[in-house]
Each structure stands twice: as structure tokens, then as C-alpha cells.
Amino acid sequence: MSTSVESFADLGLSESLLKTLAEIGYESPSPIQAECIPILLEGHDLIGMAQTGTGKTAAFALPLMEQIDVKLTKPQALILTPTRELAIQVAEALQSYAKNLPGFHVLPIYGGQSYTIQLKQLSRGAHVIVGTPGRVMDHLERKTLNLDNLKTMVLDEADEMLRMGFIDDVEWILERTPEKHQTALFSATMPEQIRRVAQKYLVEPREIKIKAATATVAAIRQVYWQVSGMHKLDALTRILEVEEDFDAAIIFVRTKTATVELADKLNARGYAAAALNGDLNQQMRERVIEQLKSGALDIVIATDVAARGIDVPRVSHVVNYDIPYDTEAYVHRIGRTGRAGRTGNAILFVAPREIRMLRTIERATRQPIAPLTLPSRADVTNKRVADFKAKVAEVLNAEGLDFFANIVSQIAEEQNIGAEEVAAALAMMAQQGKPLQIAGEDPAPARPASGERRPNSFGERDQSKPRFGDRGDKPRFDDRSGDSRPRFEDKPRRAAPPAGDMVRYRIDVGRDHGVQVKDIVGAIANEAGIESRFIGRIGLYDESSTVELPAGMPAEAANALKRTRVRGVPINLRPDEGRPDMAGERKFKKRT
Ligand code: AMP
């Protein structure tokens, strides 16, 4: 299978769906989508050999939705799934694709949910039913589900339905569907019984298979982390901080939206990061790559298409933040590191339900991918201490040290303490806002990824998905905390300072409000739509702060920032007329 189809528009989908896909950030079709969508739109039956993570849901959902007559409030498509989790997930996917299809209604029905609720929902009329075989059978028997208007039938994860003993139920349902309808069967493997079902119930099906690419680059160290116990963003920053030979990274995500979101979050955490996606014109794209080459950027967050062909020798790491659709994409992605004879590192994040894809990649590339133990808090601390020591050692060789040695002697004498204590105080000062120790707990170790674990039916959730009330992707490492002095942000963002004129503004929140630099960066980036790397120095004081922003701010952004609140306090952004060290602010605390 090739990845040559670049655009959903080439597949024959309607304008309305194309608009939706652009809105939800799908940039280009995955291989299985590129192959299946045209076939299904033409009305053929189809056998798709694909597993979770390949984008198979959209591959059958999008063509199916093109057929739905919203005015007819009867089930026109039935999707059978092995588990209720999958039923819910597929229903959610369909609902998200129906953004621009007013009145569209998809209903998941599964065992364990009350019949009363389901009956009420069924009687209201749904266009698509996504259900587990047993419960669908029940409703057909009770005549509470009527398939007379069925146009499409999908068997999702057919081999799993077989494995779980539902195959007879599936056949029972297939026997009772109207003669004329389209059937699509998706399965990761093709056991004999599934093949038999396909032969019996599908009419001249086209068969689509994801090709397993072989060959990979030997010089690349490949590891994976099974997502659990910690949000991906937190895990990512921990890993990047501790990785030995980190120089620059390309991080792969699936959607355009995710490139931008992750770039903003990494910027807020002090990384020089930028998004690279299909929305960027050629000139902008080249600029990002140039910045990555020159070191103005350390991290680029990209989609597959946008990153194609990037050749930047300093890329020491590729992170598959979202697992790729197939092994071919994996091989392309990791080929962005280990260039020009250097060694490279490929890190793969795998959600529990994507373990099967991990094994497929290992098989196709004929290389084991080793599990990565997430660095502990102690690991991060040790690395920070080592870096700190190295920095101090560097300064020991610098000129003009005598002048400072003299000051240290004076302090020691005046305070009647040893030089070691003075050094400790100075070290603490030097680390203001960049603590050597990180806050928070270490997560419990992940369960081994040996089995092909599926989301189970006992309320266990995929840790990669935030749950209502979760901390979401909020920075967890309080990496600029512990501040007790007025200070300017001491270069937490490793990016070169923004080019062009900057204007200093004052805002009415400061340390006394419990505000940290990252809160200000986050609020301004979000409210004014300014990428955080364009936010200049931030001076944090007790009752107020200063922030440098690019000159020529549009009125709309300025207005938004006037109303913005940080920690519940209106910031009242205005040009700063005073000196940065305003009178009335508390200066260094006196020792008493
Ligand atoms: P699936 O294999 O259907 O479970 O899909 C896996 C994930 O990929 C889901 O989170 C989808 O939203 C996402 N996805 C599917 N197709 C695309 C696409 N063309 N572009 C970006 N993300 C996609």
C-alpha cells in the first residue's frame, strides 16, 4: 500500500465532510483510508485488513456517512464491534465527523446498559447504530431495532468478535439484514472462520491490506513507553530532559491541531519548539527547518506529510507521540534521525490498546523495540545536578573569577560563615526558577506490554485520554517555582530572543497572587493568540509583573488581554511606564 494520496479531496468525499476533516485537523488520509474510501464510496463490499491505530474507523465511517439521509430517522447503518468501549469510541468518532451534518444521530448500544434508556434512545430515531453483537441481537428479537432501511453494515474487529465467541451472533444478525446493502469487514488478522463469513455474506468484496514495510535504519536506538500513570506531555518532558545525547527532536503527532497545541505547551515549559504542518506555506516550512538546523529551534512537532524528507543532521531524537498508522510511516518517521552517520534515537508512545501495532512494527522491521522505563524524579534531579556541576566547572575556568572570590570572602567574613555556605547560597540563587528537584510523584510502573491487552469492560480507561476532572495537560513540573526574589525570567526559553521591536507592558498580577512565569506565558499565548516563543522577557514582582510583547499588537489582541485573568485576577495589561524595579516593591530580603 502506498501513501501517495495526499488529500482527502482526491477521494471523492463531499465538501461538507472535507470541511469537517479540515476543522478537526486531519491533514491527509492514512493509507487504509486512501485505499478504502473510494471503494466504499463506489458501493463495493470490502475486506480491510487493518488494526487499531491505522485510521480504520474513519475509513469506513466517512463513506458510510455520505449515504445517510438525515431526514429519514431510521437506522441506515449498523456497525458491530466486539466491546462496548469500541462501540462508544466508534460512535464518538462518527459524531465528531458529523459536525457539519445537523440532525445526524448515532447511537451506541451495548450490554450492561439499561434497556429502558436504550429503548427510549432507539425510539427517538438514530441514523447509525454502533453495537455489540449480543445486545443488537436482543433488540432485533424484541423488534425494537428495525433494519429495513439499512444501507451499510460494518463488522469492526471481526477477528476479535470471533475470539470473544460472538461469531454465531454476528452471523445471526447478518442473516436478518435486508438483501441489498453494502458490507465492510475489518479485521487485523484473517482466520479461516472470518474468511468463511466474508465469503458467505459479502458480495465480490475488494480486499485491502496494509503492507508491512521492512528494512529500517540500524543506527537507531528504538524504545517505547507504554502510556500509563502519567500524561504524555509530562512523560515527554521527563524523557527529553534525561536523554543523554539530546540535541534536537522531531515529534510526530496525527493532527495539525495537535502540532500547534503541543508546540505551545512545550514553549510554555521552556523549550524552543514550533509546529510544522500542512497549513504552513513553503517559505514558512523552510524557515522552521532552517531554525531547527541552526539551533534556534530544538523541537519541531510535525505531521507525517509535513515532515517528509527533512534532513537535519542534529536531530538526535524522533518521538512518535502518536503512534503511526503503519510500519511504513514508522520507518519514514524514524529515518529523520540517525542522519549523516550519527546515531539516532526513536521513542514510541504506545497506548495500551495500540500494543498490537507495536508488535506489528517490530515484526515488519525485524527489530525488537525495547520498553523504556520512565525516568524517575531522582533521575531527573541527578541529571539536573550533573548539568549544574558542569556549568559551574565551566565558569571556574572563566576570567575575572578573582573579583567574585573576593566578594565571597567578604560575605563569609561578614556573616561569620564558611565559604561553602556562601557557595550554597549562591548556588540556590543561581537556580532560582529552575529547581534541581522536581515536584510530584513517580507513577506506578506500567503493566508489561506482553499481551495484546484490549480495553476491558471494567471501567478501566485508556490512560492516554484525559478524563473529566483530570489535570489535563497542565504543566505538572513546577519548574519555575520557589521564586522569592524579583527577577527577570532568566532565559527559560532556549529559543533565540524574538526578532523585531518589543514593547514592555505591565500587568497587575505578581508573586503575591501565587503567579509564576509559566502562568503569564500560558494566559497571554492563549488569549492573544501569540505563540509563546514570541513572548519576551517577563519580570515577576510582588504585586505586578512586566512582560515584553512584539510591537504592533492588533487591537483585538490588546482588548482580549485587558480582560484576561491569571489565577482569577484581571491582569489589566498596559504599556509599562515605570522602571522594572519599581519603588514600593519588596527587594531582596534582609537577613536578620
Ligand atoms: P483508528 O485506527 O480508527 O482507531 O484511529 C486512530 C486515531 O487516529 C484516532 O484518534 C483518529 O482520530 C486518528 N485519525 C484517523 N485518521 C486520521 C487522519 N487522516 N489524520 C489524523 N488523525 C487521524
Side-chain angles (χ1 to χ4, degrees):
M1 184 174 296
S2 79
T3 43
S4 58
V5 178
E6 302 252 323
S7 154
F8 278 107
D10 298 337
L11 303 180
L13 293 166
S14 65
E15 285 302 321
S16 153
L17 270 185
L18 292 178
K19 182 166 166 262
T20 303
L21 294 174
E23 283 167 8
I24 58 180
Y26 285 15
E27 195 169 79
S28 54
S30 73
I32 193 84
Q33 292 163 1
E35 300 275 341
C36 293
I37 292 174
I39 295 175
L40 289 171
L41 284 176
E42 279 169 20
H44 299 285
D45 281 4
L46 179 128
I47 298 174
M49 282 186 68
Q51 60 208 24
T52 302
T54 52
K56 67 178 164 63
T57 314
F60 62 74
L62 299 173
L64 167 163
M65 291 178 63
E66 296 286 16
Q67 311 228 25
I68 301 293
D69 174 2
V70 181
K71 283 189 245 72
L72 178 68
T73 49
K74 299 266 163 55
Q76 297 160 53
L78 172 65
I79 302 166
L80 292 181
T81 67
T83 62
R84 66 171 181 177
E85 282 77 14
L86 190 59
I88 294 168
Q89 214 174 295
V90 169
E92 280 173 358
L94 273 131
Q95 202 61 61
S96 71
Y97 304 142
K99 239 175 129 202
N100 293 305
L101 202 61
F104 174 84
H105 193 189
V106 51
L107 180 66
I109 55 173
Y110 43 82
Q113 196 191 27
S114 115
Y115 273 98
T116 329
I117 293 177
Q118 283 177 2
L119 289 174
K120 208 185 272 171
Q121 288 170 329
L122 278 166
S123 65
R124 259 189 242 134
H127 301 101
V128 179
I129 307 289
V130 192
T132 48
R135 188 53 69 104
V136 168
M137 230 172 105
D138 283 353
H139 280 291
L140 286 173
E141 273 184 327
R142 292 166 178 232
K143 306 222 180 311
T144 41
L145 174 62
N146 181 316
L147 297 181
D148 288 350
N149 294 284
L150 196 78
K151 294 178 188 151
T152 318
M153 167 99 197
V154 179
L155 309 180
D156 193 12
E157 303 203 349
D159 51 351
E160 280 302 313
M161 293 201 273
L162 172 71
R163 203 176 63 81
M164 295 171 76
F166 299 149
I167 202 69
D168 292 343
D169 298 356
V170 171
E171 284 203 57
W172 188 95
I173 296 165
L174 284 166
E175 295 283 349
R176 281 152 188 84
T177 48
E179 190 75 4
K180 222 173 136 301
H181 70 269
Q182 183 180 31
T183 308
L185 181 153
F186 283 84
S187 198
T189 57
M190 207 36 80
E192 191 40 46
Q193 275 160 290
I194 297 296
R195 207 115 333 255
R196 192 184 53 73
V197 168
Q199 268 159 9
K200 191 164 168 198
Y201 297 98
L202 273 63
V203 183
E204 295 175 24
R206 306 287 168 94
E207 197 162 330
I208 297 300
K209 198 171 171 176
I210 296 260
K211 190 183 80 197
T214 47
T216 184
V217 199
I220 298 175
R221 162 184 157 249
Q222 297 177 63
V223 290
Y224 77 90
W225 174 60
Q226 186 177 332
V227 180
S228 76
M230 193 187 257
H231 285 286
K232 287 207 242 183
L233 178 65
D234 289 329
L236 175 71
T237 49
R238 263 199 200 195
I239 292 169
L240 291 185
E241 195 166 342
V242 170
E243 281 289 296
E244 267 311 316
D245 42 6
F246 180 82
D247 192 0
I250 300 181
I251 299 180
F252 284 92
V253 294
R254 288 208 158 164
T255 61
K256 288 186 273 193
T257 335
T259 60
V260 177
E261 281 171 10
L262 190 54
D264 284 349
K265 283 175 185 158
L266 287 172
N267 275 310
R269 287 180 178 214
Y271 288 94
L276 186 69
N277 64 43
D279 284 349
L280 268 56
N281 63 29
Q282 190 55 21
Q283 201 187 350
M284 287 151 90
R285 180 178 187 274
E286 274 163 20
R287 203 169 142 246
V288 170
I289 295 170
E290 217 29 69
Q291 286 178 321
L292 186 65
K293 269 192 188 144
S294 72
L297 284 174
D298 291 328
I299 300 180
V300 163
I301 300 98
T303 51
D304 286 297
V305 174
R308 208 170 282 165
I310 294 185
D311 186 2
V312 177
R314 70 179 278 264
V315 171
S316 56
H317 286 71
V318 161
V319 181
N320 288 285
Y321 196 79
D322 293 336
I323 199 163
Y325 301 118
D326 59 9
T327 51
E328 196 172 323
Y330 178 80
V331 172
H332 275 144
R333 286 178 176 190
I334 71 169
R336 300 307 108 218
T337 182
R339 298 189 82 82
R342 305 187 195 194
T343 48
N345 300 275
I347 299 170
L348 174 65
F349 283 7
V350 185
R353 65 189 195 88
E354 294 162 346
I355 289 298
R356 201 195 267 265
M357 180 59 100
L358 166 71
R359 302 295 172 224
T360 306
I361 293 171
E362 283 183 315
R363 266 197 305 277
T365 56
R366 299 204 192 93
Q367 292 201 11
I369 303 179
L372 174 81
T373 310
L374 209 59
S376 66
R377 289 170 58 208
D379 293 336
V380 176
T381 301
N382 291 343
K383 178 71 169 38
R384 288 183 185 178
V385 169
D387 289 350
F388 180 66
K389 283 181 184 168
K391 234 186 277 166
V392 172
E394 210 175 288
V395 179
L396 283 175
N397 294 322
E399 276 178 32
L401 208 62
D402 292 350
F403 173 77
F404 291 99
N406 192 18
I407 298 178
V408 169
S409 305
Q410 287 174 27
I411 298 172
E413 212 174 295
E414 285 161 21
Q415 303 286 337
N416 196 19
I417 52 172
E420 209 170 276
E421 270 177 277
V422 181
L426 292 172
M428 206 163 161
M429 252 169 82
Q431 287 310 117
Q432 290 297 338
K434 292 178 290 182
L436 296 176
Q437 287 159 306
I438 58 169
E441 294 297 317
D442 281 332
R447 265 171 289 220
S450 51
E452 320 248 74
R453 285 186 72 249
R454 311 188 41 74
N456 65 31
S457 323
F458 307 109
E460 200 179 351
R461 78 190 171 96
D462 181 344
Q463 293 282 355
S464 66
K465 297 219 166 68
R467 184 175 47 181
F468 182 73
D470 262 3
R471 295 165 55 92
D473 275 328
K474 287 266 157 48
R476 175 184 293 187
F477 305 150
D478 201 0
D479 49 8
R480 294 189 182 99
S481 62
D483 195 354
S484 63
R485 311 274 156 84
R487 64 173 175 84
F488 272 98
E489 184 188 13
D490 32 12
K491 215 166 149 266
R493 283 189 286 281
R494 289 190 279 154
D501 292 341
M502 301 293 279
V503 176
R504 193 169 61 219
Y505 294 88
R506 187 157 285 274
I507 53 179
D508 286 346
V509 286
R511 260 193 331 264
D512 287 353
H513 304 100
V515 164
Q516 295 173 27
V517 169
K518 66 183 177 194
D519 300 326
I520 297 173
V521 172
I524 292 176
N526 284 332
E527 298 294 330
I530 301 175
E531 268 185 62
S532 57
R533 69 198 160 97
F534 293 117
I535 300 173
R537 295 203 305 169
I538 290 177
L540 202 56
Y541 300 90
D542 287 351
E543 289 160 17
S544 68
S545 304
T546 57
V547 52
E548 292 176 355
L549 298 175
M553 187 184 336
E556 205 178 296
N559 280 335
L561 285 177
K562 276 199 191 111
R563 294 189 302 268
T564 300
R565 288 168 178 265
V566 174
R567 303 239 160 182
V569 182
I571 65 173
N572 186 26
L573 180 107
R574 61 204 178 273
D576 180 38
E577 266 118 38
R579 283 169 44 230
D581 52 344
M582 286 168 85
E585 298 273 4
R586 178 157 49 95
K587 300 295 288 276
F588 292 93
K589 254 195 234 144
K590 276 246 169 68
R591 275 165 67 110
T592 48

